[in-house]
Amino acid sequence: MSSQTLSHAAQSIDSSDETPLAGAQAALAGRQARPLRFITCGSVDDGKSTLIGRLLWDTKAVKEDQAATLRRDSTGKQNELGLPDFALLLDGLQAEREQGITIDVAYRYFATDRRSFIVADTPGHVQYTRNMATGASTADLAVLLVDARAGILEQTRRHATIAALMGIRQFVLAVNKIDLADYEEARFRAISREFREIALSLGVRQVTAIPVSALKGENIVLRGDGAMPWYDGPTLVEVLEKATQRTGQTTGFRLPVQRVSRPGEGFRGYQGTVAGGSIKPGDSVVVLPSGVEANVKAIVTYDLVRNAAVTGDAITLVLDRPVDVARGDMIAAIDQRPQTGRAFNARLVALSPDGIVPGKRYWLKAGARRQRVMVRPTASLNLTSGNWDDATFLSVNGIGTAELDFEDTAIFDAYETNRETGAFILIDPETLNTVAGGMIDGKRSRAGCFDALPDADRASITLPARLLEAFLKTEFARSHAGEIRVNGPEQVDEE
Amino acid sequence: MNVIEHGRGKPPLDPHLKALENEAIHIFREVAAEFERPVMLYSIGKDSSVLLHLALKAFHPGKLPFPLIHIDTGWKFPEMIAFRDQVVAKHGLELISHTNPDGLRDNVTPFTHGSARYTDIMKTQALKQALDMGRHDAAFGGARRDEEASRAKERIYSFRTPDHAWDPRNQRPELWSIYNGMIHPGESVRAFPLSNWTEVDIWRYIQAEQIELVPLYFAKRRKVVERDGMLIWAEDKRLELLPGEQVREEMVRFRTLGCFPLTGAVRSEATDLDEVIAELEIATVSERQGRAIDRDQSGSMEKKKREGYF
Ligand SMILES: Nc1nc2c(ncn2[C@@H]2O[C@H](COP(=O)(O)OP(=O)(O)O)[C@@H](O)[C@H]2O)c(=O)[nH]1
């Protein structure tokens, strides 16, 4: 049935006049790509909900029952084209519907016959940095929306900055409501030129600008030739279909070990998801932080004992000799190792109302590895000027740089080179909430850091644990956090 | 130890399904490693069947490091229970079947108490009891974000207070694929490995992986009675016919499975997986199935009643 399915799906996407019905998602036949994840950003009223609603509607991702509810709920709220109010499709939570606001990141799903898509839909106003950072962390591409009449706003620049910071390297500028700007080509060209410059200044070269009317569905899924004969570029969906997946994994083999599997009879396997590079039996690997070396004996999965695994594969790795490996360790290519050390520099996005407090000890989780870390913010990004200003504290929604000091060895790649092994979250040890997302810039080695000191220049004192806590809270200890190493009675407050 | 290979000769998954499978396995392993007493909610339906298949993959060649919980309301299709027991035996699983004793004592049925109260007592309260009894700090569920609008914002680790409450305004941000599994005593998470799957993905995966399903998903001549626009399965003595109702034998199948008095059948000729998938597509395009809502969610039935269906 697959060839039939394909042609049917293509047809239903091309013919705009038939009643779009529920759930007729394109193509049950196999898709040749992973789902593309993208994020949409825009200021309030730029038409973001309409755009996403339009994407879902025109690709027939709206289910029968949803469509029925939509028609009923939007009586009287229909737009000029007699279509339902798309925003109703998106505002799912009761509280939101009542207040007419969107409070959190929502994920939407749609597909064409070529590819499937996951949209992180983030609100344009409240807590936008926090929500955008969350949505952007897994996105391969960002769709930035502007109102054709208003052009680029300060908000646009902020959104682009955050997207770039989170590692997104493909932008689509959707110049929306072009119908209200008389479909004027000059206007569109001017806006896209201005945006291209912003993107370039952020290091993003892959930019596509598209004139669209989300309301009328022009250049979203279907072409808008009639109204814009001057535009011969792709539709939004065409760009999304062709977008590259940012694997970003330019490092060697990485396997953060999630669990050790010992079902018996001498089987011992290390389970995890390959976070970089590839591996095959016979390859030499190093176990970090111990530094013990071994060779790969087998790659086990439920289906097959495989002769190779690549980034993204969830596998069970068997080594050729008994070595000590625990959850949180990393198995890596022997000749392309990640950075290991106790001091790193990172960028942070503060997610909690308490902000990020200098010298406070947090839990840091990266991959399957969780450890104590002392965090000292050093600068914060002014999203208006684009400058990094000196800072010692990050307030909620703040973006900053920080020094991280660990009590035991940390293992990272720079986020630039590996999004999996270069990312982490910070967890508040009291509330246990996730309070920051972080991206590693690199290892820090400088004078004043404990590890940089020769043995002769170090001394130790021993204190009761409760005094230690108090000591670490003092101004003195905080301002010398990088020079103090804390040992033992470890993780008393863990359980 | 001899490692069994289950996929010899099977064509590899397409990259789309492979990515979804990898993500789900990652979540399973993470939860199993971070929590002390995880458990998997097993409802016997197609999503649960996929969930179980993924769990088996995640821990292979080992066994599942957690038990399954099935909330048995006493009103499930007998074919579901038979299938459940068969699956449990085949994979050597540990199954906890729980029925709310209060509900049994008070004779709570979908007919006497209304679907909303019935569902609350026999499903929601029963689940809380089972989780509390086992002191489970993490429970896997098969929910998907595409199911309905209110689920679109659900996290993969959905944080619950000690009384199992979900506060949409107080969920932890989830970045990358790094999950925060730290909780205070009494708190718990629901973990959803299928969050990013759509219904079509589920069916395609079942097809590609040849996952066995309860036969109720396939068309067969079954005794049904039409009630409130739904075709209700009428082979259980506890279903009392209302005046004017007539039991007929029809070729039907079920699109979702739950308690039989609340689950509508659809007329169908699809007797195997390929035919069901083909029908799924045609049905949504032509609306051939009319208005029959066949979801086992009490909400939709409640709403229909309030809208004057009776
Ligand atoms: N004329 C026109 N109106 C639009 C277009 N896109 C959105 N709108 C309208 O702009 C208003 C705000 O849109 P909405 O999607 O709610 O904006 P959001 O706040 O960004 O989600 C609504 O009244 C929409 O109908 C468009 O392309 N053309």
Side-chain angles (χ1 to χ4, degrees), chain B residues 191-217:
Chain B
F192 300 117
L194 303 180
S195 286
N196 287 320
W197 295 53
T198 64
E199 176 159 28
V200 174
D201 296 329
I202 295 286
W203 282 110
R204 286 183 53 226
Y205 189 74
I206 289 169
Q207 190 176 40
E209 292 287 302
Q210 295 156 23
I211 298 172
E212 270 181 81
L213 295 181
V214 186
L216 291 161
Y217 282 111

Side-chain angles (χ1 to χ4, degrees), chain B residues 25-308:
Chain B
I25 290 176
H26 183 84
I27 295 162
F28 265 116
R29 290 172 172 174
E30 200 61 13
V31 173
E34 278 202 306
F35 291 85
E36 275 170 28
R37 300 179 62 81
V39 68
M40 184 178 132
L41 309 179
Y42 178 68
S43 72
I44 314 174
K46 65 181 194 316
D47 299 272
S48 277
S49 298
V50 167
L51 197 65
L52 176 61
H53 187 76
L54 289 163
L56 293 169
K57 283 199 169 192
F59 302 105
H60 176 83
K63 283 197 183 305
L64 292 200
F66 43 77
L68 272 51
I69 285 187
H70 175 234
I71 300 305
D72 190 354
T73 58
W75 293 86
K76 301 290 171 191
F77 293 87
E79 274 176 271
M80 289 171 71
I81 304 298
F83 180 84
R84 177 195 76 183
D85 294 343
Q86 202 181 307
V87 166
V88 165
K90 178 173 170 190
H91 300 292
L93 306 172
E94 182 191 338
L95 178 91
I96 302 161
S97 177
H98 178 75
T99 308
N100 184 347
D102 308 338
L104 279 184
R105 184 196 58 220
D106 300 342
N107 245 319
V108 175
T109 78
F111 305 115
T112 51
H113 287 67
S115 62
R117 266 191 75 207
Y118 163 78
T119 303
D120 179 58
I121 296 169
M122 298 311 282
K123 286 171 139 180
T124 313
Q125 298 308 324
L127 175 61
K128 288 186 193 175
Q129 290 167 350
L131 292 177
D132 286 343
M133 280 190 309
R135 287 178 293 113
H136 296 295
D137 52 356
F140 294 102
R144 291 177 280 112
R145 286 187 182 133
D146 87 320
E147 274 173 65
E148 49 154 345
S150 72
R151 299 205 42 90
K153 299 184 182 186
E154 183 65 285
R155 303 294 197 271
I156 290 187
Y157 276 26
S158 177
F159 182 79
R160 304 296 161 105
T161 60
D163 50 359
H164 303 279
W166 179 67
D167 176 3
R169 284 171 187 273
N170 203 15
Q171 295 293 311
R172 296 167 173 176
E174 262 174 8
L175 292 89
W176 300 285
S177 47
I178 308 172
Y179 306 105
N180 176 359
M182 299 186 80
I183 53 171
H184 293 111
E187 295 170 345
S188 63
V189 305
R190 303 274 164 88
F192 300 117
L194 303 180
S195 286
N196 287 320
W197 295 53
T198 64
E199 176 159 28
V200 174
D201 296 329
I202 295 286
W203 282 110
R204 286 183 53 226
Y205 189 74
I206 289 169
Q207 190 176 40
E209 292 287 302
Q210 295 156 23
I211 298 172
E212 270 181 81
L213 295 181
V214 186
L216 291 161
Y217 282 111
F218 306 109
K220 198 180 126 179
R221 295 198 71 80
R222 295 184 170 94
K223 286 187 180 138
V224 290
V225 61
E226 195 161 338
R227 181 177 291 181
D228 308 337
M230 297 207 305
L231 291 176
I232 303 291
W233 183 73
E235 296 178 31
D236 188 295
K237 287 197 182 59
R238 291 173 295 175
L239 182 83
E240 285 172 28
L241 293 186
L242 303 175
E245 283 184 344
Q246 244 181 11
V247 174
R248 275 174 308 192
E249 212 178 77
E250 293 209 44
M251 197 70 180
V252 294
R253 64 182 175 85
F254 295 86
R255 279 164 64 175
T256 57
L257 298 182
C259 301
F260 72 81
L262 302 174
T263 308
V266 290
R267 295 190 176 90
S268 166
E269 300 293 327
T271 54
D272 64 24
L273 199 56
D274 289 350
E275 287 173 7
V276 167
I277 290 177
E279 227 179 58
L280 261 183
E281 270 217 312
I282 299 159
T284 50
V285 175
S286 70
E287 256 188 318
R288 210 176 59 187
Q289 300 303 336
R291 296 281 99 211
I293 305 277
D294 64 331
R295 300 191 307 169
D296 69 337
Q297 272 163 16
S298 58
S300 68
M301 210 166 136
E302 275 283 300
K303 217 188 294 164
K304 284 166 81 76
K305 284 182 184 169
R306 267 189 265 115
E307 282 160 8

Side-chain angles (χ1 to χ4, degrees), chain A residues 370-392:
Chain A
R370 198 177 76 196
Q371 54 195 137
R372 287 289 203 166
V373 66
M374 183 98 75
V375 181
R376 246 176 340 165
T378 48
S380 92
L381 176 64
N382 181 326
L383 278 170
T384 311
S385 66
N387 294 334
W388 292 86
D389 304 329
D390 283 352
T392 53

Side-chain angles (χ1 to χ4, degrees), chain A residues 418-434:
Chain A
N418 192 317
R419 221 178 181 186
E420 300 292 324
T421 52
F424 61 87
I425 57 171
L426 293 181
I427 299 168
D428 185 292
E430 278 100 49
T431 65
L432 304 184
N433 278 333
T434 305

